[in-house]
Amino acid sequence: MAKKDRTTDAAAEKDREKWMARFQVRLAMQPGVDRAVVLQAVKEVTAHCAETGEHPRTAFGDPDAYAVQAAARLVPADRAAGARRRNAVVDALGSVRDAAGKLGGL
């Protein structure tokens, strides 16, 4: 029976690692999020799960949705707004570049 417990524990640990990896990637993609924000959020999730023994999915839900919530809570609104504006400009420039490339091929 000990072998089955180890297998179950290994599967649960792998699932926790997958949740954390997804959370970190999605959090890093949020406007205004930097390394410090990611580290702070990961520390909070890890500490909570260590204290309670809960799986992060049980405690925080979907990693994508929680990443959005964590970013909203940890990133100052003005910094997030500035990042969104910069992202919009970069997207617009990319569209112009793509359109110019298509025109050049006529």
Side-chain angles (χ1 to χ4, degrees):
M1 188 145 132
K3 185 174 184 173
K4 186 176 181 182
D5 289 343
R6 275 188 254 137
T7 303
T8 304
D9 289 345
E13 181 59 29
K14 184 172 179 110
D15 191 46
R16 275 191 289 278
E17 289 173 3
K18 286 173 67 176
W19 190 98
M20 288 297 290
R22 176 82 180 209
F23 170 65
Q24 290 175 54
V25 167
R26 293 299 185 178
L27 181 59
M29 294 171 61
Q30 298 303 308
V33 170
D34 60 10
R35 186 173 190 269
V37 169
V38 173
L39 291 174
Q40 181 179 352
V42 167
K43 182 179 176 181
E44 290 173 0
V45 169
T46 303
H48 175 84
C49 292
E51 288 174 14
T52 64
E54 287 181 293
H55 185 285
R57 185 173 307 281
T58 304
F60 302 102
D62 178 67
D64 296 347
Y66 188 64
V68 172
Q69 293 173 11
R73 181 173 48 84
L74 297 172
V75 176
D78 60 334
R79 188 166 84 192
R84 279 192 289 278
R85 281 191 301 276
R86 283 188 298 281
N87 290 346
V89 168
V90 169
D91 290 345
L93 290 173
S95 295
V96 168
R97 181 198 64 227
D98 292 346
K102 290 176 184 175
L103 288 176
L106 291 176

